[in-house]
């Protein structure tokens, strides 16, 4: 049974003015219809979770919610502890992590990653209903992600010579953002499923644009990974070259779209997939109660056996009862 600890809560650190904001379209999103902030908020949570929740609750809209950034601002706990606390806050009904598919005016589809936050704890039914309304509402595509801008140099009396434009082929690679996209994650997981397709971080970055084109053409991540890993030779000397060739040669066709939609055609809507707060596995909200997938939910509550194990135990019990009944006949 939960016990209130109104006086033992660690005071959350003061919010720094330099706390990083996420790229436009990403980061924290506050859920509607929350109760006013009081001193009793999160009083039923353990000390660490109250500490993290109090800090997150004061973050502004669009603030970065990555574990790495939170750990930098909360010196009492490391990244693993912050990740565990966020999982507990998801189970307690305070947050949900989602992926939003948004379409721009030029029909370009991109995935953005958001964390919906509610100071008022909500059950899974409330979150599912709320995300369903978010799923059907139009949304503008976020601005393209850009690396952090360097501070402008101080003005001097020496005029600077203009720098010639760099050719596209020699343009430096953009640094990765804190939260990789689904195409990058799919490529990264190939090597874990089969060592012949092991890729480095730079390899995943190089192949991500091609893999993203697959997802933009309507295929799922499972279809993408299955197509890339099907019928592998006994040995793959260059996983990067092999996968680049497959991504190019097996590119699925682009479905035709109406260039001139008729008047009254509804605006493109975004598609939302909830992410497991613990491992990041995507799925429909109904399949992730408490914001956790089945394996992570079982690990978080070890006293609750998985559905399959419970069904097997029930079958074994029935068979035992049947045998005992036959012995008495």
């Amino acid at each position: 049974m939960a016990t209130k600890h109104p006086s033992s809560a660690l005071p959350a650190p003061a919010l720094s003015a330099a706390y990083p904001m996420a790229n436009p379209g990403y980061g924290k999103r506050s859920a509607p219809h929350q109760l006013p902030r009081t001193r009793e908020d999160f009083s039923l949570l353990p000390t660490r979770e109250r500490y993290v929740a109090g800090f997150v609750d004061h973050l502004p809209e669009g603030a970065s919610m990555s574990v790495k950034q939170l750990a930098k601002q909360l010196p009492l706990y490391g990244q693993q502890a912050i990740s565990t606390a966020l999982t507990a806050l998801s189970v307690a009904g305070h947050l949900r992590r989602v992926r939003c598919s948004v379409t721009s005016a030029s029909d370009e589809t991109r995935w953005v990653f958001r964390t919906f936050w509610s100071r008022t704890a909500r059950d899974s039914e409330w979150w599912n209903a709320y995300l369903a309304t978010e799923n059907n509402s139009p949304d503008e595509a976020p601005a393209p992600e850009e690396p952090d801008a360097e501070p402008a140099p101080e003005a001097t009396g020496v005029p600077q010579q203009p720098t010639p434009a760099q050719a596209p082929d020699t343009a430096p690679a953009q640094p990765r953002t804190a939260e990789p996209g689904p195409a990058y994650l799919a490529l990264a997981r190939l090597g874990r499923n089969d060592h012949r397709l092991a890729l480095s971080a730079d390899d995943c970055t190089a192949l991500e644009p091609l893999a993203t084109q697959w997802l933009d053409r309507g295929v799922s991540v499972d279809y993408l990974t299955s197509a890339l890993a099907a019928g592998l030779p006994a040995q793959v000397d260059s996983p990067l070259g092999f996968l680049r060739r497959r991504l190019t040669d097996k590119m699925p066709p682009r479905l035709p779209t109406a260039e001139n939609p008729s008047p009254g055609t509804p605006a493109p809507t975004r598609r939302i997939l909830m992410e497991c707060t613990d491992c990041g596995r995507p799925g429909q909200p109904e399949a992730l109660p408490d914001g956790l997938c089945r394996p992570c939910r079982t690990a978080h509550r070890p006293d609750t056996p998985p559905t399959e194990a419970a069904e097997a135990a029930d079958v074994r019990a029935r068979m035992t009862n049947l045998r005992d009944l036959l012995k008495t006949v």
Side-chain angles (χ1 to χ4, degrees):
M1 180 177 178
T3 305
K4 283 191 176 184
H5 303 280
S7 60
S8 61
L10 296 174
L15 183 59
S16 171
Y19 186 87
M21 302 296 290
N23 287 291
Y26 294 68
K28 176 187 173 183
R29 291 291 186 275
S30 295
H33 311 306
Q34 300 188 42
L35 296 176
R37 186 177 287 122
T38 68
R39 294 177 60 87
E40 298 297 318
D41 292 334
F42 319 116
S43 61
L44 297 179
L45 298 175
T47 301
R48 180 182 61 192
E49 282 66 29
R50 285 202 310 282
Y51 182 71
V52 175
F55 180 77
V56 171
D57 189 49
H58 286 81
L59 290 178
E61 291 292 291
S64 173
M65 285 291 292
S66 69
V67 172
K68 182 178 180 180
Q69 292 294 349
L70 291 172
K72 286 182 179 180
Q73 298 291 326
L74 303 175
L76 292 181
Y77 303 108
Q79 293 187 32
Q80 183 61 45
I82 296 297
S83 178
T84 303
L86 293 178
T87 300
L89 291 174
S90 177
V91 174
H94 292 289
L95 69 84
R96 291 291 187 271
R97 290 194 184 277
V98 302
R99 302 179 184 184
C100 300
S101 171
V102 294
T103 305
S104 66
S106 59
D107 289 337
E108 179 185 3
T109 301
R110 298 180 58 230
W111 287 91
V112 298
F113 300 82
R114 296 171 180 170
T115 299
F116 285 94
W117 172 260
S118 175
R119 183 187 320 112
T120 305
R122 312 288 191 177
D123 57 22
S124 294
E125 289 73 17
W126 187 94
W127 278 112
N128 292 348
Y130 170 63
L131 293 178
T133 61
E134 285 287 307
N135 202 37
N136 294 325
S137 60
D139 191 22
E140 296 181 358
E145 298 178 69
E146 299 178 354
D148 295 335
E150 295 293 334
E154 295 183 1
T156 61
V158 181
Q160 297 184 357
Q161 297 296 327
T163 302
Q166 200 168 16
D169 294 339
T170 61
Q174 296 292 336
R176 287 214 56 79
T177 56
E179 301 179 14
Y184 181 94
L185 294 175
L187 294 168
R189 288 171 183 151
L190 285 173
R192 298 190 179 185
N193 298 332
D194 193 313
H195 68 278
R196 291 173 290 182
L197 298 180
L199 297 171
S200 68
D202 290 340
D203 293 342
C204 293
T205 302
L207 295 177
E208 185 179 11
L210 283 172
T212 301
Q213 291 184 43
W214 281 56
L215 301 182
D216 290 345
R217 297 184 180 206
V219 305
S220 65
V221 172
D222 290 339
Y223 180 94
L224 169 64
T225 54
S226 298
L228 295 179
L232 294 178
Q235 182 177 353
V236 179
D237 296 328
S238 174
L240 174 61
F242 179 82
L243 290 174
R244 178 183 284 116
R245 182 65 179 269
R246 281 205 165 184
L247 285 168
T248 304
D249 293 348
K250 293 188 174 185
M251 181 75 67
R254 186 183 298 276
L255 296 177
T257 56
E259 297 183 359
N260 298 315
S262 58
T265 302
T269 59
R270 60 186 173 189
R271 181 162 53 96
I272 287 183
L273 290 177
M274 187 185 293
E275 275 193 350
C276 175
T277 307
D278 195 2
C279 71
R281 180 178 301 175
Q284 295 299 324
E286 300 78 13
L288 299 174
D290 296 334
L292 301 177
C293 64
R294 180 182 295 176
C296 293
R297 192 166 63 254
T298 302
H300 187 76
R301 297 179 177 176
D303 56 325
T304 304
T307 302
E308 292 85 351
E311 292 176 352
D314 183 59
V315 170
R316 288 194 298 269
R318 293 184 181 183
M319 292 299 295
T320 301
N321 293 337
L322 180 59
R323 284 195 297 266
D324 293 340
L325 179 60
L326 292 175
K327 289 180 182 179
T328 60
V329 176

